[in-house]
């Protein structure tokens, strides 16, 4: 009993580790890391805009808050230095006729508040710059310009982060599994994809890549070798009318990498099928890419998708997403090669063929008979 449980647990861990070993996750994120990069990280600072956009929200908000607090505190110190040099602070006991550079700066706290009011243009009217020193006027101009730059950059980065087209990709969903069954008399690999919004993706194009490890005739091992997989719908694979869920399919013919696979050997294969959907968002005209992946355990042989679109009594079309990933078992050849041979055999039966070994021999008839 213990050995049986240990074997089941080991097989479960092996299967779990195999499921995790994928380049593209189901939600489209790439599972890859870069090591021993020779280039300096300074190159990422050169393209600071893309670096900021690619950061996660928690890091972006940390930089956002730190940029404002840091600039306010830095200029607060500078205003305090100006007041200290000009001897405007109460500790210097200025005379009644003394005109300070900045009114009502009594210490570091009041200098910080004046820096905050200046940069965000609050202007309470209690603290203000006088005409007494040009240094204060120059510092006021410099902080105002720098504050506008920081505001524009950080607000623009947050707006661009919110409006990125990859967020639109979250409303495009693929079926949990891919299926293999007959469609139009051909063996096909089928995947269902749906648009959860009523707004369309313009100029949509769908395609796939089969990732596997191959060994060349020269003995070179290529990890993550990419093979093109053509997906089509009944109207082609470009400019899809993506208003309702579509079932895309790949024809498994002699040129397909799935041609030599069978139902019995599918789970023994080591591949990852990555599916891409490119399109233009109708609302923003920004390009968008959606991707997902399927490993052998997620490809069901001998199944088809359950119907999902129906028509109501009011004449409207209704999409039932409860059946979106639901599959139904159907009769399917256990390999594409068998279906190909079966078609050839039926074609020969219909047209017939000559037997070159058949020879017609004539027999002469005689009238002599013996009684």
């Amino acid at each position: 009993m213990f050995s049986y449980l240990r074997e089941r647990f080991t097989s479960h861990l092996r299967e779990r580790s195999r499921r995790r070993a994928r380049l593209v996750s189901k939600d489209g994120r790439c599972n890859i890391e870069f090591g021993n990069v020779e280039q300096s990280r300074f190159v990422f600072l050169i393209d600071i805009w893309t670096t900021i956009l690619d950061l996660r929200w928690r890091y972006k908000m940390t930089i956002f808050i730190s940029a404002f607090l840091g600039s306010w505190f830095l200029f607060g110190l500078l205003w305090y230095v100006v007041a200290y040099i000009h001897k405007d602070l109460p500790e210097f006991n200025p005379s009644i006729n003394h005109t300070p550079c900045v009114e009502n700066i009594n210490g570091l706290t009041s200098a910080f508040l004046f820096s905050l009011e200046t940069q965000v243009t609050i202007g309470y009217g209690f603290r203000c710059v006088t005409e007494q020193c040009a240094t204060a006027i120059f510092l006021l101009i410099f902080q105002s310009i720098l504050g506008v730059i920081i505001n524009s950059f950080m607000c623009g980065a947050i707006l661009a982060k919110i409006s990125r087209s990859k967020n639109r990709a979250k409303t495009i969903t693929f079926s949990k599994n891919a299926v293999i069954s007959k469609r139009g008399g051909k063996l096909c690999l089928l995947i269902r994809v749906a648009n959860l919004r009523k707004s369309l993706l313009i100029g949509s194009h769908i395609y796939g890549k089969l990732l596997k490890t191959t060994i060349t005739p020269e003995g070179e091992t290529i990890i993550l070798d990419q093979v093109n997989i053509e997906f089509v719908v009944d109207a082609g694979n470009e400019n899809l009318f993506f208003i309702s869920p579509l079932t895309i399919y790949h024809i498994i013919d002699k040129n397909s990498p799935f041609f030599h696979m069978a139902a019995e050997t599918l789970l023994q294969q080591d591949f990852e099928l990555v599916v891409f959907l490119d399109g233009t968002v109708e609302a923003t005209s920004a390009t968008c890419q959606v991707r997902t992946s399927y490993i052998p355990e997620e490809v069901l042989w001998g199944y088809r998708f359950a119907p999902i679109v129906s028509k109501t009594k009011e004449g409207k079309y209704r999409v039932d997403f409860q059946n979106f990933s639901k599959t139904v078992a159907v009769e399917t050849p256990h390999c594409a090669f068998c279906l190909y041979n079966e078609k050839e055999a039926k074609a020969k039966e219909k047209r017939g063929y000559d037997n070159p070994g058949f020879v017609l021999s004539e027999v002469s008839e005689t009238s002599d008979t013996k009684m």
Side-chain angles (χ1 to χ4, degrees), residues 64-136:
F64 181 85
I65 296 173
S66 301
F68 281 102
L69 289 179
S71 61
W72 296 339
F73 184 74
L74 175 61
F75 280 100
L77 289 176
L78 295 178
W79 286 116
Y80 179 81
V81 170
V82 170
Y84 184 86
I85 294 175
H86 199 254
K87 297 183 179 182
D88 298 336
L89 301 177
E91 58 207 50
F92 293 105
N93 297 319
S95 61
I96 300 176
N97 298 326
H98 178 77
T99 303
C101 291
V102 181
E103 296 282 356
N104 300 310
I105 287 188
N106 303 319
L108 187 60
T109 303
S110 57
F112 175 79
L113 292 176
F114 178 72
S115 173
L116 170 64
E117 296 167 10
T118 300
Q119 190 163 327
V120 299
T121 64
I122 294 177
Y124 290 121
F126 182 68
R127 300 180 183 88
C128 60
V129 177
T130 64
E131 302 175 355
Q132 184 63 27
C133 52
T135 305

Side-chain angles (χ1 to χ4, degrees), residues 341-354:
N341 290 341
E342 180 184 349
K343 286 185 175 181
E344 274 196 347
K346 289 183 178 180
K348 288 181 179 180
E349 287 180 2
K350 289 183 178 180
R351 66 173 180 264
Y353 59 92
D354 295 332

Side-chain angles (χ1 to χ4, degrees), residues 211-273:
L211 308 179
K212 60 180 183 177
T213 301
T214 53
I215 301 177
T216 63
E218 295 78 16
E220 180 186 1
T221 301
I222 302 177
I223 301 177
L224 296 179
D225 186 24
Q226 300 185 15
V227 180
N228 289 327
I229 301 294
E230 294 293 335
F231 282 98
V232 295
V233 293
D234 294 334
N237 65 341
E238 295 184 355
N239 299 324
L240 305 177
F241 184 50
F242 204 13
I243 192 64
S244 63
L246 298 175
T247 300
I248 61 174
Y249 59 91
H250 163 71
I251 301 175
I252 304 178
D253 54 12
K254 292 184 176 180
N255 299 322
S256 172
F258 295 96
F259 184 76
H260 298 286
M261 299 182 189
E264 297 82 3
T265 61
L266 180 63
L267 295 180
Q268 302 173 6
Q269 304 293 327
D270 184 15
F271 67 84
E272 181 178 351
L273 175 62

